[in-house]
Amino acid sequence: MDVFGSFALVLAFICAVYAFGGGIAAIVTRHPLLIKSARQAGIATCVLIFLATFSLEYLFFSDNFSAAYVVSHSNRDLSTFYKIAALWSGQEGSLLFWSFLLAIYVFSVLVTYRNKNGELMPYVGVVLAGVQIFFLTLNNFVESPFKALASPGADGVMHLVARTDGNGLTPLLQYPEMVIHPPNLYSGYTGFTIPFAFALGALLARYPGEKWIHLTRKWTMIAWMFQSMGILLGAHWAYAVLGWGGYWGWDPVENASLLPWLSGTAFLHSVMMQEKRGMMKVWNVWLVFITFLLCILGTFLTRSGVVSSVHAFANSAIGNWFVGFIGIILLVCFGAYFKNRDYLKSENQLDSIVSRESSFLFNNLILLVACVAVLSGTLFPVFSEWFTGNRISVGAPFFNKVNIPIGLLLLFLTGVGPLLAWRKTSTESLKRNFGWPLGIGVAAGAIAFAFGFRQLYSWVCLILCVFVASTVLLEFYRGAKVIRARSGAWFVASALELTMRNTRRYGGYIVHMGMVFVFIGLAGAAFNRDVQKDMRQGDSLKIGPYTLVLQGFDTKPEKNYTAQRLLVEVLQDNKPTMMLYPEKRRFTTTEENGTMVAIRSTLQEDLYVVFAGTSPDTGLPVLHAYLNPLVKWIWLGGVVVVFGTLVALLPNRRAVLVLSGAQQPAAAAQPLAHGLAPTVTMREGHD
Amino acid sequence: MTKARPITAIALLVMFAITPLLITPVGAQQLSDRAKHIGGKFMCMCGCSQVLTECNHVGCTTSASMLKELNVALAQGDSEDAITQMFVQEFGTKVYAEPPKSGFSLVAWVLPSAYLFLGTGVVIFVIFRWRKQAAQATGPASRAPGISPEQLERARAQVSRETED
């Protein structure tokens, strides 16, 4: 099967080269057969990558230890669930997994648009094939996952080695979150290839109008959704497993995942300017180029060893390949832009500073400032070493000081932006839209201050969260009220109808509400407390309203590891509430340690208990307890963000034309689809 | 009044005596809090890229030994500067959790503000340029004959209302 997989990868590379070269020839000659064959070669590339990936998984499931990769990342005792995750646990497998996810997107695009957009798709196919060629080059010639296990003999010649068992999976990856975090994150990274291909393709083809944006909007939202899920799942894994009490350490690899998310978010917003007003064409094209480049840069940082991180793969020479690829992309993007920049002429006019257009400009500014600040902070250790010879670290204190004010600005814009009108917002509209939310936000701040809330950033964050939440709820309320008045339906049904008539807008509002929840959770970090103690059986430890009593200690052998557990009774206000079982795990094959945190999570706070090892001084188990307020809001916010994105992806329910001006009873409303000449142009719903 | 005085005195003495039981041992807690505060200014040197007090490397022995050194130094009464010098001599400048605000390191602090000011300047410039273009586009020559600015504004408002999404 390893030979089969290896062969499939080589064939995939050949097909990708044909899809690229044949695609270019098809564009030049416009020969229909060439166009079709290039497209089919692209589809074949994807199918062959699927086969190669399934072959590698088969090697894991069949415990085939003739493959070096399987030996390094699996063993017989590893559960089936983790044998799936073993695919992406190492450099070679994760690169193949990247190709696999990219192939899913490419396959979907090539099949979906096989009979549509004939002028654009050949260009898109060429760009996608070009990206696939790069990753297939790595899969085949640099980091092959199908290398046979071999070692040099006494004669200096490599001989195949027979192993009956493997080394097992890295303990840190043997957690459920680790099975789902990389697929989500990689789906985000690879997904941004699609809007990049369409943007570059449209630029090269000088494709008229904004259709490329309509075509790619859903793919961009899907990629953004996966990137968001990947980031939050990674944060949750760090929180639940690593046992340091936090969820985001501004690690270089964490930052690498945040960068394309920030620029992708900017793109999702500024693209509306182009759709509605034909503005910011150059900016949008470069924004999607930058987002894709940041995805490649992100994986370069993770794999090259340029920056040190607990998340990074082992150092390898693969970094040079990524630098070369980034260079090629930049050359192609600059070349395409300078050759075709006249095609991007925008209708850039602004009637008023107080308008949605301005708010989008500032939104983009803040997101890009955050992106560049995180990038320069992440790379500063490298630059400092280049310039001064000394490597200067840039850790969490720097990123928090820089990004908290930027984040609060962004939160403010989240509330303000959607309520400004296109072109110009009147003073009456400002008062109507912002009066109540501002008042409610300020009132919330005053109440919090009166109750002793004194942490400045958290206090400002609270005010802004209440402000933004109020603006969102007010929008739903106003729109649902109008529908209810016309249809007589219940309020909730009216709100649902409202949402389904404009899923993009109201799905976006739900996403904003999810971000509010996330910010509420982040604000709680200012009030974290922790305490640590060496504990004998029967000893207690007090934190906040909780008393933790160590009732005992036991050992639980599992298939792949042995867990040492503390049996901790939790009393709240002196009443027994529950038991918690923080663990230390010793993995059999690798002899490495892992932790499993015990968490009691409510919306108000998390009681987070870690078995922090054995004290070298007393020989007693060390219990480290944290009280982390509001953390659950972060995960809840993530769920709301994903839900909002899914809503925004739904097609609009067919809108009903309502004649303007006169008071029309509901029965007089006419559906647009029946040939009635509209007096109002509907701008949503095209795809 | 005569009986109240001894009772009051005894009550005060008792309150004074039990106060240490009610308040967390300030000395020990301050040492622990101070250790956390100072420890938060250094990186763990195990390669995890995390702050010393938040090392997420499972089973890290480096952070344990660094924290022990820190506690010993604090117990000896060393100042924060002396502790900083001790770690820098041992590990180099990469032990700082954030770049010092001097020399080349100042660049790291200046850059985000520079991006923000530069970006804001660009946005303001773009806004004014677009407004100028809009003003030129809605100048007298571009208006249809016979339509007053008020009528045009009313029509625009109606379009906005009817096409608002």
Side-chain angles (χ1 to χ4, degrees), chain A residues 37 116 131 146 162 178 205 260 271 274 291 338 369 378 405 424 514 534:
Chain A
S37 73
K116 298 176 197 171
V131 176
F146 295 108
M178 256 303 142
V271 95
Q274 189 168 343
T291 303
F338 281 112
V369 165
T378 305
K424 189 178 178 178
D534 301 355

Side-chain angles (χ1 to χ4, degrees), chain A residues 259-323:
Chain A
L259 296 172
W261 185 87
L262 289 167
S263 63
T265 306
F267 175 67
L268 279 174
H269 287 85
S270 70
V271 95
M272 283 189 254
M273 293 263 271
Q274 189 168 343
E275 286 179 283
K276 304 289 184 207
R277 301 290 313 282
M279 296 163 78
M280 294 177 73
K281 293 182 185 178
V282 173
W283 175 247
N284 285 330
V285 158
W286 274 104
L287 206 46
V288 78
F289 288 171
I290 287 167
T291 303
F292 177 69
L293 277 164
L294 287 172
C295 292
I296 303 300
L297 180 68
T299 197
F300 160 72
L301 289 176
T302 311
R303 296 171 190 280
S304 63
V306 163
V307 287
S308 65
S309 166
V310 74
H311 298 86
F313 293 100
N315 287 5
S316 77
I318 204 170
N320 296 334
W321 288 89
F322 280 97
V323 169

Side-chain angles (χ1 to χ4, degrees), chain A residues 172 242 244 249 251-252 273 276 279-280 308-310 348-351 353 358 361-362 365 369 372-373 376 380 384 387-388 390-395 397-398 401-402 422-423 502 505 530 593-594 660 680-681 683-684, chain B residues 36 40 43 47-51 54-58 68 93-101 104-105 107-109 111-112 115-116 119-120 123-124 126-128 130-131 133-134 137 153 156 158 160 162-165:
Chain A
L172 277 178
L242 295 181
W244 59 286
D251 177 271
M273 293 263 271
K276 304 289 184 207
M279 296 163 78
M280 294 177 73
S308 65
S309 166
V310 74
N348 289 329
Q349 290 173 12
L350 196 74
D351 295 332
I353 292 171
S358 290
L361 279 173
F362 282 108
L365 167 68
V369 165
V372 179
S376 55
F380 193 78
S384 64
F387 284 106
T388 67
N390 286 322
R391 197 168 181 104
I392 294 167
S393 299
V394 181
F398 171 85
K401 280 179 189 164
V402 166
W422 292 103
R423 290 182 172 270
N502 197 331
R505 180 181 185 181
D530 70 292
N593 292 323
S660 66
V680 174
T681 304
R683 279 177 286 175
E684 287 296 332
Chain B
K36 278 183 207 170
M43 300 295 278
C48 63
S49 301
Q50 301 297 320
V51 164
E54 293 174 352
C55 172
N56 59 17
H57 182 184
V58 177
K68 200 168 180 180
T93 53
K94 58 183 186 266
V95 77
Y96 288 119
E98 57 184 41
K101 289 175 185 154
F104 182 79
S105 304
V107 172
W109 293 101
L111 280 177
Y115 301 144
L116 185 62
T120 306
V123 166
I124 291 171
V126 164
I127 286 175
F128 277 110
W130 287 356
R131 282 201 71 202
Q133 284 172 0
E153 205 44 56
R156 279 201 174 127
Q158 184 174 354
S160 279
E162 291 171 1
T163 60
E164 190 180 349
D165 61 299

Side-chain angles (χ1 to χ4, degrees), chain A residues 585-644:
Chain A
R585 295 179 176 180
R586 181 85 175 159
F587 288 84
T588 323
T589 323
T590 58
E591 294 189 355
E592 286 176 63
N593 292 323
T595 45
M596 200 56 161
V597 179
I599 306 176
R600 178 180 187 265
S601 187
T602 64
L603 281 176
Q604 187 182 342
E605 66 203 355
D606 277 12
L607 173 63
Y608 180 101
V609 181
V610 184
F611 178 6
T614 307
S615 168
D617 300 323
T618 61
L620 294 170
V622 180
L623 196 69
H624 199 155
Y626 297 79
L627 204 56
N628 298 331
L630 306 175
V631 172
K632 197 162 190 165
W633 286 83
I634 297 173
W635 321 128
L636 184 62
V639 171
V640 174
V641 163
V642 170
F643 175 69

